[in-house]
Amino acid sequence: QVQLVESGGGLVQAGGSLRLSCVASGRTSYIYAMAWFRQAPGKERELVSSIRWNTGHTYYADFVNGRFTISKNNAKNTQYLQMNNLKPDDTAVYHCAAQSIGGTNYNYWGQGTQVTVPS
């Protein structure tokens, strides 16, 4: 089992920045990839960004458009999402997720952290 705890959400004005963190514990040696998803009220959950735990290969959704940067610190079992130039459409609950080696889906999830960007 892997446990994930997010932090760093909050209320920020449009154009501002936030840095989300996600600390993994438990069987972290089984992690293949980690990701950030978000879900806004009344909308489907969507993938924001992902990172391969060993190679560091990253993926970003089109709507990120160069504004966010995903990174990791393997020694601290932590991934980050630096979000710049935030927009009201970025308002959502952001969830950290992990995919285990041999898994086909993200099977571990954090409780989520709220990001609010007022219009």
Side-chain angles (χ1 to χ4, degrees):
Q1 292 288 336
V2 175
Q3 294 79 42
L4 304 172
V5 178
E6 306 99 331
S7 62
L11 187 149
V12 63
Q13 297 302 312
S17 299
L18 282 175
R19 188 194 196 202
L20 306 183
S21 300
C22 174
V23 179
S25 59
R27 295 192 171 188
T28 57
S29 61
Y30 288 1
I31 294 175
Y32 170 73
M34 293 188 73
W36 292 95
F37 288 78
R38 71 184 188 183
Q39 187 165 21
K43 294 188 176 181
E44 301 257 330
R45 184 175 63 196
E46 59 184 353
L47 175 63
V48 178
S49 180
S50 65
I51 188 165
R52 298 275 179 89
W53 207 238
N54 285 337
T55 66
H57 178 78
T58 59
Y59 164 84
Y60 295 95
D62 288 343
F63 62 77
V64 169
N65 200 21
R67 300 179 298 129
F68 300 173
T69 303
I70 193 169
S71 61
K72 63 183 177 71
N73 183 325
N74 291 60
K76 295 183 177 181
N77 293 319
T78 301
Q79 72 158 347
Y80 307 94
L81 186 68
Q82 176 67 41
M83 303 188 293
N84 298 327
N85 192 20
L86 283 160
K87 305 175 181 180
D89 284 349
D90 295 318
T91 296
V93 177
Y94 284 71
H95 293 270
C96 172
Q99 180 181 358
S100 54
I101 295 171
T104 56
N105 295 303
Y106 289 93
N107 46 340
Y108 299 105
W109 294 86
Q111 81 287 352
T113 186
Q114 177 71 46
V115 172
T116 302
V117 188
S119 56

